[in-house]
Amino acid sequence: MSRSRQEDPEQARLKQKAKEMQQQELAQMRQRDANLTALAAIGPRKKRKVDSPGATPSGTEVSGSTAGSPASSSVPSTSSRQYTRQRITRVNLRDLIFYMEQERETAHSLLLYRALLK
């Protein structure tokens, strides 16, 4: 009889842990759905011009801005930045990695491999 008493708290602990993990997974799915909905509401991503070679290898610049990154552009764009406010979109790193894995241009990029290491 003492053995069944020992297994009972252990089983209750396992059930509690499974319940917590299920709740975490449900919360993650809700967060992912919310992020995808927010990205869909923002609209399609604008293509960056090819003439700025420093835009893609800069690392975190790509994830922070959807418009062309002003840090790598020339002087005229910094003056236009004064009256056009840059739009910042925040996403989870996990969602960004998922997106980059799906896109053909970034599936094998150095930026994706660096993001996977974080």
Side-chain angles (χ1 to χ4, degrees):
M1 189 75 179
S2 65
R3 184 179 175 127
S4 66
R5 286 184 191 157
Q6 287 176 351
E7 288 175 358
D8 199 25
E10 180 68 25
Q11 199 169 21
R13 204 175 310 127
L14 285 173
K15 281 184 179 179
Q16 181 66 25
K17 186 160 179 117
K19 191 175 180 182
E20 288 174 5
M21 289 177 68
Q22 195 173 20
Q23 287 176 346
Q24 275 184 340
E25 189 175 343
L26 191 63
Q28 286 175 353
M29 287 172 58
R30 280 191 192 133
Q31 182 70 36
R32 195 175 308 124
D33 287 346
N35 284 342
L36 290 173
T37 304
L39 286 172
I42 290 170
R45 189 170 73 100
K46 292 186 177 118
K47 299 280 184 189
R48 221 175 268 119
K49 292 181 180 174
V50 184
D51 61 351
S52 59
T56 359
S58 63
T60 56
E61 289 285 328
V62 174
S63 63
S65 61
T66 53
S69 58
S72 63
S73 302
S74 58
V75 177
S77 70
T78 55
S79 63
S80 67
R81 197 175 88 187
Q82 291 173 353
Y83 32 84
T84 57
R85 187 171 167 175
Q86 188 178 11
R87 184 171 175 166
I88 297 174
T89 306
R90 295 182 185 202
V91 294
N92 285 343
L93 181 61
R94 190 182 329 128
D95 293 338
L96 178 67
I97 290 172
F98 174 77
Y99 175 76
M100 290 174 69
E101 287 172 341
Q102 303 306 313
E103 288 296 312
R104 193 176 191 175
E105 302 86 19
T106 58
H108 299 289
S109 68
L110 183 62
L111 183 62
L112 173 61
Y113 292 124
R114 284 183 181 164
L116 287 168
L117 291 175
K118 292 204 182 256

